[in-house]
Amino acid sequence: MPSSVRAGSLKDPEVAELFFKEDPEKLFSDLREIGHGSFGAVYFARDVRSTEVVAIKKMSYSGKQSNEKWQDIIKEVKFLQRIQHPNSIEYKGCYLREHTAWLVMEYCLGSASDVLEGKTHSKNSSCSI
């Protein structure tokens, strides 16, 4: 990496390859908020290319502690790319738009806390991502 490229920057090829280049607002429709956490909101959405239903976690990396937020997003994407197991939520990709990462995952009913608490799955929630 050239010395002029800051580690963790989108100019770093290793970081740039973590994110799809397309505009997520053109790829996903019917966004409806289904949950909210400390890192952002989770949305129900539909992939316009396949009509598949997905869950999208939108995480802003602007404002206070923007560099820390950006580094957390990079770590999460790298981690999710490595997980491939039939019992885990499928990672579909990550897009960037206006200082917000769109983390796209398989949609499922219920949440991780529902599983831990033994609750019945609800149609209005997504698995935690």
Side-chain angles (χ1 to χ4, degrees), residues 1-7 11-13:
M1 170 174 35
S3 60
S4 63
V5 176
R6 187 171 46 99
K11 293 179 182 178
D12 177 345

Side-chain angles (χ1 to χ4, degrees), residues 75-91:
K75 286 178 195 172
E76 185 165 358
V77 170
K78 285 181 176 181
F79 174 76
L80 291 170
Q81 284 182 333
R82 287 191 301 257
I83 296 175
Q84 293 182 355
H85 189 277
N87 295 333
S88 67
I89 303 301
E90 181 184 356
Y91 169 74

Side-chain angles (χ1 to χ4, degrees), residues 27-29 45-54 92 104:
L27 300 178
F28 301 98
S29 65
R46 191 169 303 277
D47 186 321
V48 298
R49 299 162 293 184
S50 66
T51 70
E52 177 184 20
V53 171
V54 295
K92 304 230 178 239
V104 183

Side-chain angles (χ1 to χ4, degrees), residues 1-19 21 61 70-71 74 96:
M1 170 174 35
S3 60
S4 63
V5 176
R6 187 171 46 99
S9 163
L10 272 174
K11 293 179 182 178
D12 177 345
E14 281 188 34
V15 172
E17 72 181 14
L18 297 174
F19 305 98
K21 308 298 183 247
Y61 53 94
W70 175 246
Q71 295 304 320
I74 291 171
L96 302 176

